[in-house]
Every structure is written in structure tokens, then in C-alpha cells.
Amino acid sequence: MSKLQLYLISFLLITSSLVHSASKNEIDESMYQAFLLITKKDFISSNAAYLAILEHENDMDLSQLSNIYNSLLELSYILDNKDDAKKYGNKLISIIKDEPDYVKAYERLKYRICSSQDWAKFRYIFIEHCG
């Protein structure tokens, strides 16, 4: 079986498990599988897997949502997709910026997108958050 077939099967398993309303554990398991694709440097399949998980956004808690949007933001940087970076970065900011339990996460995110060298190429996208 080729690598492509293996990845396709993995992706289909992830997405098919999410066709119905998903439990917290099912979402967590799908997130883990999407993360494993990142560790294998299969960024396109991982991105697709995270997007499939978002189909169950209404079934997710804030922790799951923030982790998924953070992963999609990271993947958008890796895949050099400024439109996705803007979309997922702004969504992540909007869901965590006023949450007391996410103050540190918000500050780390803000530092990363506004000050770190590794995100310099997309800094202009988040200028309204960097003032």
C-alpha cells in the first residue's frame, strides 16, 4: 500500500468518524489523529483533518476549539496560506481574548504573531491586534 493510500485511508477514517454528532472523546481522538499527521509532516492531510473536525464545532468545548484553531493557524503558516492564517488567527483571538482562563495563552499568541521573528511574514495580517 502506498503512502498516499495510507494517508487517504487515515483521513477517511477520521472524517467518517465525525459524520454524526461527536462526543468529547471522539473529538479528542480525531484531534490526536490530525496531530499525528503533523508529526509525519503530512501538513495538507492534517489541515484537512482539522477542518473536518470543525464540522462539530457546536459539540466542542473551548479547549478543543482553541487547540484546533491554533493548529490550523500553525498549519496556515507552514503551508504559507495568509488567508487561512488571517481567518484562523482572528477566530482564535476572538474566542480566547476575553476568557480569564486563557489570558496567558492570549498573551503568548499575541507575542508570537506581533513580535516573534518566525511569524514576521504574516505580521501585517494581525496589525490590529499588535497595537
Side-chain angles (χ1 to χ4, degrees), residues 18 22-32 34 50-51 53-72 91-92 95-96 102:
L18 291 172
S23 71
K24 180 181 180 345
N25 289 338
E26 289 171 324
I27 292 168
D28 286 342
E29 177 60 28
S30 294
M31 289 171 62
Y32 175 69
Y50 279 114
L51 290 174
I53 298 166
L54 273 182
E55 295 294 318
H56 298 282
E57 188 170 0
N58 293 334
D59 300 323
M60 293 181 206
D61 60 29
L62 183 57
S63 175
Q64 290 169 323
L65 278 174
S66 66
N67 283 325
I68 287 174
Y69 282 115
N70 188 61
S71 295
L72 286 168
K91 182 64 176 181
L92 178 59
I95 65 173
I96 67 170
Y102 287 82

PDB file of all heavy atoms in Angstrom, residues 18 22-32 34 50-51 53-72 91-92 95-96 102:
ATOM      1  N   LEU A  18     -16.573  11.361  12.179  1.00  0.00           N
ATOM      2  CA  LEU A  18     -17.157  12.625  12.611  1.00  0.00           C
ATOM      3  C   LEU A  18     -18.428  13.004  11.871  1.00  0.00           C
ATOM      4  O   LEU A  18     -18.885  14.119  11.968  1.00  0.00           O
ATOM      5  CB  LEU A  18     -16.116  13.739  12.448  1.00  0.00           C
ATOM      6  CG  LEU A  18     -14.931  13.645  13.402  1.00  0.00           C
ATOM      7  CD1 LEU A  18     -13.886  14.678  13.029  1.00  0.00           C
ATOM      8  CD2 LEU A  18     -15.373  13.821  14.828  1.00  0.00           C
ATOM      9  N   ALA A  22     -20.546  14.383  17.605  1.00  0.00           N
ATOM     10  CA  ALA A  22     -19.361  13.769  18.195  1.00  0.00           C
ATOM     11  C   ALA A  22     -19.274  14.045  19.690  1.00  0.00           C
ATOM     12  O   ALA A  22     -19.588  15.134  20.151  1.00  0.00           O
ATOM     13  CB  ALA A  22     -18.120  14.296  17.503  1.00  0.00           C
ATOM     14  N   SER A  23     -18.811  13.046  20.414  1.00  0.00           N
ATOM     15  CA  SER A  23     -18.579  13.215  21.843  1.00  0.00           C
ATOM     16  C   SER A  23     -17.222  13.870  22.052  1.00  0.00           C
ATOM     17  O   SER A  23     -16.393  13.932  21.137  1.00  0.00           O
ATOM     18  CB  SER A  23     -18.605  11.863  22.554  1.00  0.00           C
ATOM     19  OG  SER A  23     -17.446  11.107  22.219  1.00  0.00           O
ATOM     20  N   LYS A  24     -16.978  14.346  23.261  1.00  0.00           N
ATOM     21  CA  LYS A  24     -15.688  14.945  23.590  1.00  0.00           C
ATOM     22  C   LYS A  24     -14.554  13.972  23.301  1.00  0.00           C
ATOM     23  O   LYS A  24     -13.535  14.350  22.725  1.00  0.00           O
ATOM     24  CB  LYS A  24     -15.661  15.372  25.049  1.00  0.00           C
ATOM     25  CG  LYS A  24     -14.348  16.009  25.468  1.00  0.00           C
ATOM     26  CD  LYS A  24     -14.339  16.395  26.917  1.00  0.00           C
ATOM     27  CE  LYS A  24     -13.067  17.044  27.398  1.00  0.00           C
ATOM     28  NZ  LYS A  24     -11.882  16.986  26.629  1.00  0.00           N
ATOM     29  N   ASN A  25     -14.722  12.717  23.669  1.00  0.00           N
ATOM     30  CA  ASN A  25     -13.669  11.719  23.442  1.00  0.00           C
ATOM     31  C   ASN A  25     -13.431  11.470  21.960  1.00  0.00           C
ATOM     32  O   ASN A  25     -12.293  11.289  21.532  1.00  0.00           O
ATOM     33  CB  ASN A  25     -14.001  10.407  24.153  1.00  0.00           C
ATOM     34  CG  ASN A  25     -13.867  10.520  25.650  1.00  0.00           C
ATOM     35  OD1 ASN A  25     -13.156  11.395  26.157  1.00  0.00           O
ATOM     36  ND2 ASN A  25     -14.545   9.654  26.371  1.00  0.00           N
ATOM     37  N   GLU A  26     -14.501  11.443  21.163  1.00  0.00           N
ATOM     38  CA  GLU A  26     -14.341  11.249  19.718  1.00  0.00           C
ATOM     39  C   GLU A  26     -13.599  12.433  19.088  1.00  0.00           C
ATOM     40  O   GLU A  26     -12.730  12.245  18.229  1.00  0.00           O
ATOM     41  CB  GLU A  26     -15.705  11.069  19.047  1.00  0.00           C
ATOM     42  CG  GLU A  26     -16.370   9.751  19.366  1.00  0.00           C
ATOM     43  CD  GLU A  26     -17.800   9.685  18.868  1.00  0.00           C
ATOM     44  OE1 GLU A  26     -18.512  10.707  18.896  1.00  0.00           O
ATOM     45  OE2 GLU A  26     -18.202   8.596  18.428  1.00  0.00           O
ATOM     46  N   ILE A  27     -13.943  13.614  19.541  1.00  0.00           N
ATOM     47  CA  ILE A  27     -13.264  14.808  19.030  1.00  0.00           C
ATOM     48  C   ILE A  27     -11.794  14.776  19.434  1.00  0.00           C
ATOM     49  O   ILE A  27     -10.907  15.035  18.616  1.00  0.00           O
ATOM     50  CB  ILE A  27     -13.967  16.090  19.525  1.00  0.00           C
ATOM     51  CG1 ILE A  27     -15.352  16.209  18.873  1.00  0.00           C
ATOM     52  CG2 ILE A  27     -13.114  17.326  19.230  1.00  0.00           C
ATOM     53  CD1 ILE A  27     -16.249  17.260  19.468  1.00  0.00           C
ATOM     54  N   ASP A  28     -11.529  14.447  20.697  1.00  0.00           N
ATOM     55  CA  ASP A  28     -10.141  14.356  21.161  1.00  0.00           C
ATOM     56  C   ASP A  28      -9.349  13.330  20.354  1.00  0.00           C
ATOM     57  O   ASP A  28      -8.200  13.569  19.979  1.00  0.00           O
ATOM     58  CB  ASP A  28     -10.073  14.007  22.646  1.00  0.00           C
ATOM     59  CG  ASP A  28     -10.450  15.167  23.553  1.00  0.00           C
ATOM     60  OD1 ASP A  28     -10.437  16.327  23.091  1.00  0.00           O
ATOM     61  OD2 ASP A  28     -10.759  14.903  24.738  1.00  0.00           O
ATOM     62  N   GLU A  29      -9.952  12.196  20.076  1.00  0.00           N
ATOM     63  CA  GLU A  29      -9.272  11.156  19.302  1.00  0.00           C
ATOM     64  C   GLU A  29      -8.996  11.641  17.879  1.00  0.00           C
ATOM     65  O   GLU A  29      -7.911  11.415  17.337  1.00  0.00           O
ATOM     66  CB  GLU A  29     -10.099   9.866  19.270  1.00  0.00           C
ATOM     67  CG  GLU A  29      -9.497   8.763  18.419  1.00  0.00           C
ATOM     68  CD  GLU A  29      -8.113   8.299  18.855  1.00  0.00           C
ATOM     69  OE1 GLU A  29      -7.772   8.397  20.052  1.00  0.00           O
ATOM     70  OE2 GLU A  29      -7.350   7.846  17.972  1.00  0.00           O
ATOM     71  N   SER A  30      -9.945  12.322  17.281  1.00  0.00           N
ATOM     72  CA  SER A  30      -9.745  12.848  15.930  1.00  0.00           C
ATOM     73  C   SER A  30      -8.663  13.933  15.925  1.00  0.00           C
ATOM     74  O   SER A  30      -7.858  14.008  14.989  1.00  0.00           O
ATOM     75  CB  SER A  30     -11.050  13.421  15.385  1.00  0.00           C
ATOM     76  OG  SER A  30     -11.997  12.388  15.220  1.00  0.00           O
ATOM     77  N   MET A  31      -8.631  14.741  16.966  1.00  0.00           N
ATOM     78  CA  MET A  31      -7.588  15.759  17.084  1.00  0.00           C
ATOM     79  C   MET A  31      -6.213  15.098  17.203  1.00  0.00           C
ATOM     80  O   MET A  31      -5.237  15.561  16.601  1.00  0.00           O
ATOM     81  CB  MET A  31      -7.853  16.660  18.296  1.00  0.00           C
ATOM     82  CG  MET A  31      -9.038  17.588  18.104  1.00  0.00           C
ATOM     83  SD  MET A  31      -9.515  18.475  19.608  1.00  0.00           S
ATOM     84  CE  MET A  31      -8.046  19.417  19.954  1.00  0.00           C
ATOM     85  N   TYR A  32      -6.148  14.025  17.946  1.00  0.00           N
ATOM     86  CA  TYR A  32      -4.888  13.296  18.092  1.00  0.00           C
ATOM     87  C   TYR A  32      -4.434  12.734  16.739  1.00  0.00           C
ATOM     88  O   TYR A  32      -3.268  12.830  16.376  1.00  0.00           O
ATOM     89  CB  TYR A  32      -5.048  12.185  19.126  1.00  0.00           C
ATOM     90  CG  TYR A  32      -3.824  11.309  19.259  1.00  0.00           C
ATOM     91  CD1 TYR A  32      -2.651  11.812  19.820  1.00  0.00           C
ATOM     92  CD2 TYR A  32      -3.835  10.002  18.810  1.00  0.00           C
ATOM     93  CE1 TYR A  32      -1.522  11.017  19.927  1.00  0.00           C
ATOM     94  CE2 TYR A  32      -2.709   9.202  18.912  1.00  0.00           C
ATOM     95  CZ  TYR A  32      -1.556   9.712  19.469  1.00  0.00           C
ATOM     96  OH  TYR A  32      -0.446   8.926  19.563  1.00  0.00           O
ATOM     97  N   ALA A  34      -5.194  13.886  13.796  1.00  0.00           N
ATOM     98  CA  ALA A  34      -4.775  15.022  12.964  1.00  0.00           C
ATOM     99  C   ALA A  34      -3.381  15.489  13.374  1.00  0.00           C
ATOM    100  O   ALA A  34      -2.550  15.830  12.522  1.00  0.00           O
ATOM    101  CB  ALA A  34      -5.781  16.164  13.076  1.00  0.00           C
ATOM    102  N   TYR A  50      -8.197  18.570  10.468  1.00  0.00           N
ATOM    103  CA  TYR A  50      -8.678  19.579  11.433  1.00  0.00           C
ATOM    104  C   TYR A  50      -9.924  20.278  10.918  1.00  0.00           C
ATOM    105  O   TYR A  50     -10.858  20.538  11.686  1.00  0.00           O
ATOM    106  CB  TYR A  50      -7.590  20.603  11.752  1.00  0.00           C
ATOM    107  CG  TYR A  50      -6.582  20.124  12.770  1.00  0.00           C
ATOM    108  CD1 TYR A  50      -5.258  19.919  12.429  1.00  0.00           C
ATOM    109  CD2 TYR A  50      -6.958  19.878  14.090  1.00  0.00           C
ATOM    110  CE1 TYR A  50      -4.328  19.478  13.361  1.00  0.00           C
ATOM    111  CE2 TYR A  50      -6.047  19.438  15.025  1.00  0.00           C
ATOM    112  CZ  TYR A  50      -4.723  19.250  14.659  1.00  0.00           C
ATOM    113  OH  TYR A  50      -3.819  18.813  15.586  1.00  0.00           O
ATOM    114  N   LEU A  51      -9.958  20.569   9.627  1.00  0.00           N
ATOM    115  CA  LEU A  51     -11.155  21.195   9.053  1.00  0.00           C
ATOM    116  C   LEU A  51     -12.365  20.273   9.165  1.00  0.00           C
ATOM    117  O   LEU A  51     -13.481  20.736   9.432  1.00  0.00           O
ATOM    118  CB  LEU A  51     -10.909  21.593   7.599  1.00  0.00           C
ATOM    119  CG  LEU A  51      -9.937  22.750   7.388  1.00  0.00           C
ATOM    120  CD1 LEU A  51      -9.667  22.956   5.908  1.00  0.00           C
ATOM    121  CD2 LEU A  51     -10.473  24.020   8.030  1.00  0.00           C
ATOM    122  N   ILE A  53     -12.867  18.108  11.497  1.00  0.00           N
ATOM    123  CA  ILE A  53     -13.265  18.116  12.913  1.00  0.00           C
ATOM    124  C   ILE A  53     -14.117  19.344  13.215  1.00  0.00           C
ATOM    125  O   ILE A  53     -15.061  19.274  14.010  1.00  0.00           O
ATOM    126  CB  ILE A  53     -12.024  18.068  13.835  1.00  0.00           C
ATOM    127  CG1 ILE A  53     -11.236  16.785  13.608  1.00  0.00           C
ATOM    128  CG2 ILE A  53     -12.445  18.165  15.306  1.00  0.00           C
ATOM    129  CD1 ILE A  53      -9.843  16.794  14.215  1.00  0.00           C
ATOM    130  N   LEU A  54     -13.815  20.453  12.569  1.00  0.00           N
ATOM    131  CA  LEU A  54     -14.584  21.686  12.800  1.00  0.00           C
ATOM    132  C   LEU A  54     -16.053  21.548  12.429  1.00  0.00           C
ATOM    133  O   LEU A  54     -16.870  22.372  12.841  1.00  0.00           O
ATOM    134  CB  LEU A  54     -13.976  22.855  12.032  1.00  0.00           C
ATOM    135  CG  LEU A  54     -12.875  23.623  12.733  1.00  0.00           C
ATOM    136  CD1 LEU A  54     -12.400  24.779  11.867  1.00  0.00           C
ATOM    137  CD2 LEU A  54     -13.307  24.120  14.088  1.00  0.00           C
ATOM    138  N   GLU A  55     -16.385  20.519  11.662  1.00  0.00           N
ATOM    139  CA  GLU A  55     -17.796  20.275  11.347  1.00  0.00           C
ATOM    140  C   GLU A  55     -18.608  20.072  12.627  1.00  0.00           C
ATOM    141  O   GLU A  55     -19.825  20.199  12.627  1.00  0.00           O
ATOM    142  CB  GLU A  55     -17.944  19.062  10.433  1.00  0.00           C
ATOM    143  CG  GLU A  55     -17.329  19.249   9.062  1.00  0.00           C
ATOM    144  CD  GLU A  55     -18.036  20.316   8.245  1.00  0.00           C
ATOM    145  OE1 GLU A  55     -19.284  20.359   8.262  1.00  0.00           O
ATOM    146  OE2 GLU A  55     -17.331  21.096   7.583  1.00  0.00           O
ATOM    147  N   HIS A  56     -17.928  19.750  13.716  1.00  0.00           N
ATOM    148  CA  HIS A  56     -18.585  19.504  15.009  1.00  0.00           C
ATOM    149  C   HIS A  56     -18.284  20.598  16.019  1.00  0.00           C
ATOM    150  O   HIS A  56     -18.248  20.353  17.220  1.00  0.00           O
ATOM    151  CB  HIS A  56     -18.157  18.137  15.549  1.00  0.00           C
ATOM    152  CG  HIS A  56     -18.581  17.035  14.644  1.00  0.00           C
ATOM    153  ND1 HIS A  56     -19.868  16.558  14.612  1.00  0.00           N
ATOM    154  CD2 HIS A  56     -17.906  16.361  13.687  1.00  0.00           C
ATOM    155  CE1 HIS A  56     -19.959  15.618  13.699  1.00  0.00           C
ATOM    156  NE2 HIS A  56     -18.788  15.488  13.110  1.00  0.00           N
ATOM    157  N   GLU A  57     -18.111  21.804  15.515  1.00  0.00           N
ATOM    158  CA  GLU A  57     -17.777  22.938  16.373  1.00  0.00           C
ATOM    159  C   GLU A  57     -18.771  23.101  17.519  1.00  0.00           C
ATOM    160  O   GLU A  57     -18.388  23.421  18.640  1.00  0.00           O
ATOM    161  CB  GLU A  57     -17.721  24.211  15.526  1.00  0.00           C
ATOM    162  CG  GLU A  57     -17.203  25.408  16.253  1.00  0.00           C
ATOM    163  CD  GLU A  57     -16.939  26.582  15.329  1.00  0.00           C
ATOM    164  OE1 GLU A  57     -17.156  26.482  14.109  1.00  0.00           O
ATOM    165  OE2 GLU A  57     -16.489  27.608  15.849  1.00  0.00           O
ATOM    166  N   ASN A  58     -20.034  22.852  17.257  1.00  0.00           N
ATOM    167  CA  ASN A  58     -21.055  23.013  18.304  1.00  0.00           C
ATOM    168  C   ASN A  58     -20.941  21.977  19.405  1.00  0.00           C
ATOM    169  O   ASN A  58     -21.502  22.163  20.483  1.00  0.00           O
ATOM    170  CB  ASN A  58     -22.452  22.968  17.683  1.00  0.00           C
ATOM    171  CG  ASN A  58     -22.715  24.154  16.789  1.00  0.00           C
ATOM    172  OD1 ASN A  58     -22.140  25.223  16.955  1.00  0.00           O
ATOM    173  ND2 ASN A  58     -23.579  23.964  15.805  1.00  0.00           N
ATOM    174  N   ASP A  59     -20.247  20.871  19.149  1.00  0.00           N
ATOM    175  CA  ASP A  59     -20.069  19.822  20.148  1.00  0.00           C
ATOM    176  C   ASP A  59     -18.786  19.995  20.966  1.00  0.00           C
ATOM    177  O   ASP A  59     -18.500  19.190  21.840  1.00  0.00           O
ATOM    178  CB  ASP A  59     -20.018  18.439  19.471  1.00  0.00           C
ATOM    179  CG  ASP A  59     -21.288  18.127  18.710  1.00  0.00           C
ATOM    180  OD1 ASP A  59     -22.381  18.510  19.192  1.00  0.00           O
ATOM    181  OD2 ASP A  59     -21.194  17.518  17.636  1.00  0.00           O
ATOM    182  N   MET A  60     -18.010  21.037  20.666  1.00  0.00           N
ATOM    183  CA  MET A  60     -16.696  21.201  21.284  1.00  0.00           C
ATOM    184  C   MET A  60     -16.719  22.159  22.451  1.00  0.00           C
ATOM    185  O   MET A  60     -17.518  23.100  22.493  1.00  0.00           O
ATOM    186  CB  MET A  60     -15.704  21.740  20.252  1.00  0.00           C
ATOM    187  CG  MET A  60     -15.402  20.792  19.156  1.00  0.00           C
ATOM    188  SD  MET A  60     -14.202  21.558  18.050  1.00  0.00           S
ATOM    189  CE  MET A  60     -14.613  20.696  16.554  1.00  0.00           C
ATOM    190  N   ASP A  61     -15.770  21.910  23.373  1.00  0.00           N
ATOM    191  CA  ASP A  61     -15.568  22.873  24.451  1.00  0.00           C
ATOM    192  C   ASP A  61     -14.509  23.887  24.002  1.00  0.00           C
ATOM    193  O   ASP A  61     -13.898  23.753  22.944  1.00  0.00           O
ATOM    194  CB  ASP A  61     -15.192  22.178  25.766  1.00  0.00           C
ATOM    195  CG  ASP A  61     -13.920  21.361  25.684  1.00  0.00           C
ATOM    196  OD1 ASP A  61     -13.027  21.697  24.886  1.00  0.00           O
ATOM    197  OD2 ASP A  61     -13.809  20.379  26.450  1.00  0.00           O
ATOM    198  N   LEU A  62     -14.302  24.900  24.807  1.00  0.00           N
ATOM    199  CA  LEU A  62     -13.383  25.972  24.445  1.00  0.00           C
ATOM    200  C   LEU A  62     -11.958  25.461  24.269  1.00  0.00           C
ATOM    201  O   LEU A  62     -11.238  25.901  23.368  1.00  0.00           O
ATOM    202  CB  LEU A  62     -13.424  27.083  25.496  1.00  0.00           C
ATOM    203  CG  LEU A  62     -12.564  28.307  25.221  1.00  0.00           C
ATOM    204  CD1 LEU A  62     -12.914  28.953  23.886  1.00  0.00           C
ATOM    205  CD2 LEU A  62     -12.689  29.297  26.350  1.00  0.00           C
ATOM    206  N   SER A  63     -11.544  24.543  25.079  1.00  0.00           N
ATOM    207  CA  SER A  63     -10.197  23.984  24.974  1.00  0.00           C
ATOM    208  C   SER A  63      -9.991  23.304  23.614  1.00  0.00           C
ATOM    209  O   SER A  63      -8.967  23.514  22.950  1.00  0.00           O
ATOM    210  CB  SER A  63      -9.954  22.981  26.105  1.00  0.00           C
ATOM    211  OG  SER A  63      -8.714  22.349  25.948  1.00  0.00           O
ATOM    212  N   GLN A  64     -10.954  22.508  23.216  1.00  0.00           N
ATOM    213  CA  GLN A  64     -10.854  21.832  21.919  1.00  0.00           C
ATOM    214  C   GLN A  64     -10.844  22.849  20.782  1.00  0.00           C
ATOM    215  O   GLN A  64     -10.026  22.745  19.859  1.00  0.00           O
ATOM    216  CB  GLN A  64     -12.009  20.848  21.740  1.00  0.00           C
ATOM    217  CG  GLN A  64     -11.912  19.645  22.646  1.00  0.00           C
ATOM    218  CD  GLN A  64     -13.179  18.819  22.645  1.00  0.00           C
ATOM    219  OE1 GLN A  64     -14.283  19.345  22.585  1.00  0.00           O
ATOM    220  NE2 GLN A  64     -13.015  17.502  22.720  1.00  0.00           N
ATOM    221  N   LEU A  65     -11.746  23.816  20.850  1.00  0.00           N
ATOM    222  CA  LEU A  65     -11.798  24.838  19.797  1.00  0.00           C
ATOM    223  C   LEU A  65     -10.495  25.613  19.701  1.00  0.00           C
ATOM    224  O   LEU A  65      -9.974  25.826  18.605  1.00  0.00           O
ATOM    225  CB  LEU A  65     -12.946  25.814  20.066  1.00  0.00           C
ATOM    226  CG  LEU A  65     -14.329  25.389  19.636  1.00  0.00           C
ATOM    227  CD1 LEU A  65     -15.373  26.396  20.104  1.00  0.00           C
ATOM    228  CD2 LEU A  65     -14.398  25.227  18.131  1.00  0.00           C
ATOM    229  N   SER A  66      -9.967  26.026  20.839  1.00  0.00           N
ATOM    230  CA  SER A  66      -8.734  26.811  20.804  1.00  0.00           C
ATOM    231  C   SER A  66      -7.575  25.970  20.271  1.00  0.00           C
ATOM    232  O   SER A  66      -6.738  26.468  19.514  1.00  0.00           O
ATOM    233  CB  SER A  66      -8.409  27.417  22.167  1.00  0.00           C
ATOM    234  OG  SER A  66      -8.100  26.429  23.113  1.00  0.00           O
ATOM    235  N   ASN A  67      -7.533  24.700  20.631  1.00  0.00           N
ATOM    236  CA  ASN A  67      -6.473  23.828  20.116  1.00  0.00           C
ATOM    237  C   ASN A  67      -6.589  23.626  18.605  1.00  0.00           C
ATOM    238  O   ASN A  67      -5.584  23.624  17.894  1.00  0.00           O
ATOM    239  CB  ASN A  67      -6.480  22.475  20.826  1.00  0.00           C
ATOM    240  CG  ASN A  67      -5.880  22.553  22.202  1.00  0.00           C
ATOM    241  OD1 ASN A  67      -4.938  23.299  22.434  1.00  0.00           O
ATOM    242  ND2 ASN A  67      -6.416  21.781  23.130  1.00  0.00           N
ATOM    243  N   ILE A  68      -7.803  23.455  18.124  1.00  0.00           N
ATOM    244  CA  ILE A  68      -7.996  23.260  16.684  1.00  0.00           C
ATOM    245  C   ILE A  68      -7.640  24.534  15.918  1.00  0.00           C
ATOM    246  O   ILE A  68      -6.907  24.482  14.928  1.00  0.00           O
ATOM    247  CB  ILE A  68      -9.430  22.803  16.372  1.00  0.00           C
ATOM    248  CG1 ILE A  68      -9.591  21.341  16.819  1.00  0.00           C
ATOM    249  CG2 ILE A  68      -9.753  22.955  14.885  1.00  0.00           C
ATOM    250  CD1 ILE A  68     -10.979  20.803  16.699  1.00  0.00           C
ATOM    251  N   TYR A  69      -8.124  25.686  16.377  1.00  0.00           N
ATOM    252  CA  TYR A  69      -7.811  26.931  15.681  1.00  0.00           C
ATOM    253  C   TYR A  69      -6.321  27.254  15.762  1.00  0.00           C
ATOM    254  O   TYR A  69      -5.740  27.760  14.801  1.00  0.00           O
ATOM    255  CB  TYR A  69      -8.669  28.089  16.184  1.00  0.00           C
ATOM    256  CG  TYR A  69     -10.056  28.045  15.606  1.00  0.00           C
ATOM    257  CD1 TYR A  69     -11.169  27.841  16.408  1.00  0.00           C
ATOM    258  CD2 TYR A  69     -10.256  28.178  14.235  1.00  0.00           C
ATOM    259  CE1 TYR A  69     -12.443  27.777  15.866  1.00  0.00           C
ATOM    260  CE2 TYR A  69     -11.528  28.116  13.684  1.00  0.00           C
ATOM    261  CZ  TYR A  69     -12.612  27.920  14.507  1.00  0.00           C
ATOM    262  OH  TYR A  69     -13.867  27.853  13.951  1.00  0.00           O
ATOM    263  N   ASN A  70      -5.698  26.929  16.881  1.00  0.00           N
ATOM    264  CA  ASN A  70      -4.255  27.131  16.989  1.00  0.00           C
ATOM    265  C   ASN A  70      -3.512  26.228  15.995  1.00  0.00           C
ATOM    266  O   ASN A  70      -2.574  26.663  15.324  1.00  0.00           O
ATOM    267  CB  ASN A  70      -3.780  26.867  18.420  1.00  0.00           C
ATOM    268  CG  ASN A  70      -2.341  27.265  18.602  1.00  0.00           C
ATOM    269  OD1 ASN A  70      -1.986  28.422  18.435  1.00  0.00           O
ATOM    270  ND2 ASN A  70      -1.500  26.294  18.914  1.00  0.00           N
ATOM    271  N   SER A  71      -3.932  24.977  15.899  1.00  0.00           N
ATOM    272  CA  SER A  71      -3.306  24.055  14.942  1.00  0.00           C
ATOM    273  C   SER A  71      -3.514  24.527  13.510  1.00  0.00           C
ATOM    274  O   SER A  71      -2.585  24.476  12.693  1.00  0.00           O
ATOM    275  CB  SER A  71      -3.868  22.643  15.121  1.00  0.00           C
ATOM    276  OG  SER A  71      -3.518  22.139  16.395  1.00  0.00           O
ATOM    277  N   LEU A  72      -4.716  24.981  13.197  1.00  0.00           N
ATOM    278  CA  LEU A  72      -4.977  25.488  11.844  1.00  0.00           C
ATOM    279  C   LEU A  72      -4.164  26.743  11.552  1.00  0.00           C
ATOM    280  O   LEU A  72      -3.689  26.938  10.429  1.00  0.00           O
ATOM    281  CB  LEU A  72      -6.473  25.756  11.655  1.00  0.00           C
ATOM    282  CG  LEU A  72      -7.333  24.507  11.494  1.00  0.00           C
ATOM    283  CD1 LEU A  72      -8.813  24.845  11.616  1.00  0.00           C
ATOM    284  CD2 LEU A  72      -7.040  23.817  10.161  1.00  0.00           C
ATOM    285  N   LYS A  91     -10.065  34.101  14.405  1.00  0.00           N
ATOM    286  CA  LYS A  91     -11.056  33.275  15.104  1.00  0.00           C
ATOM    287  C   LYS A  91     -10.510  32.846  16.469  1.00  0.00           C
ATOM    288  O   LYS A  91     -11.207  32.936  17.479  1.00  0.00           O
ATOM    289  CB  LYS A  91     -11.428  32.053  14.260  1.00  0.00           C
ATOM    290  CG  LYS A  91     -12.474  31.167  14.878  1.00  0.00           C
ATOM    291  CD  LYS A  91     -13.806  31.857  15.032  1.00  0.00           C
ATOM    292  CE  LYS A  91     -14.837  30.882  15.574  1.00  0.00           C
ATOM    293  NZ  LYS A  91     -16.142  31.461  15.736  1.00  0.00           N
ATOM    294  N   LEU A  92      -9.257  32.409  16.498  1.00  0.00           N
ATOM    295  CA  LEU A  92      -8.639  32.016  17.764  1.00  0.00           C
ATOM    296  C   LEU A  92      -8.603  33.186  18.736  1.00  0.00           C
ATOM    297  O   LEU A  92      -8.987  33.041  19.903  1.00  0.00           O
ATOM    298  CB  LEU A  92      -7.223  31.479  17.516  1.00  0.00           C
ATOM    299  CG  LEU A  92      -6.414  31.077  18.743  1.00  0.00           C
ATOM    300  CD1 LEU A  92      -7.124  29.990  19.542  1.00  0.00           C
ATOM    301  CD2 LEU A  92      -5.021  30.621  18.320  1.00  0.00           C
ATOM    302  N   ILE A  95     -12.052  33.938  20.258  1.00  0.00           N
ATOM    303  CA  ILE A  95     -12.627  33.014  21.241  1.00  0.00           C
ATOM    304  C   ILE A  95     -11.851  32.971  22.555  1.00  0.00           C
ATOM    305  O   ILE A  95     -12.404  32.555  23.565  1.00  0.00           O
ATOM    306  CB  ILE A  95     -12.814  31.579  20.690  1.00  0.00           C
ATOM    307  CG1 ILE A  95     -11.486  30.913  20.358  1.00  0.00           C
ATOM    308  CG2 ILE A  95     -13.766  31.580  19.519  1.00  0.00           C
ATOM    309  CD1 ILE A  95     -11.610  29.444  19.978  1.00  0.00           C
ATOM    310  N   ILE A  96     -10.586  33.445  22.566  1.00  0.00           N
ATOM    311  CA  ILE A  96      -9.824  33.360  23.821  1.00  0.00           C
ATOM    312  C   ILE A  96      -9.518  34.704  24.470  1.00  0.00           C
ATOM    313  O   ILE A  96      -9.212  34.741  25.660  1.00  0.00           O
ATOM    314  CB  ILE A  96      -8.501  32.576  23.651  1.00  0.00           C
ATOM    315  CG1 ILE A  96      -7.507  33.302  22.765  1.00  0.00           C
ATOM    316  CG2 ILE A  96      -8.773  31.158  23.179  1.00  0.00           C
ATOM    317  CD1 ILE A  96      -6.106  32.696  22.751  1.00  0.00           C
ATOM    318  N   TYR A 102      -7.678  31.925  29.720  1.00  0.00           N
ATOM    319  CA  TYR A 102      -6.824  31.931  28.530  1.00  0.00           C
ATOM    320  C   TYR A 102      -5.971  33.193  28.420  1.00  0.00           C
ATOM    321  O   TYR A 102      -5.423  33.475  27.354  1.00  0.00           O
ATOM    322  CB  TYR A 102      -7.674  31.748  27.272  1.00  0.00           C
ATOM    323  CG  TYR A 102      -8.184  30.341  27.138  1.00  0.00           C
ATOM    324  CD1 TYR A 102      -9.316  29.916  27.824  1.00  0.00           C
ATOM    325  CD2 TYR A 102      -7.506  29.418  26.357  1.00  0.00           C
ATOM    326  CE1 TYR A 102      -9.761  28.613  27.738  1.00  0.00           C
ATOM    327  CE2 TYR A 102      -7.945  28.114  26.257  1.00  0.00           C
ATOM    328  CZ  TYR A 102      -9.074  27.716  26.947  1.00  0.00           C
ATOM    329  OH  TYR A 102      -9.513  26.420  26.855  1.00  0.00           O
TER     330      TYR A 102
END
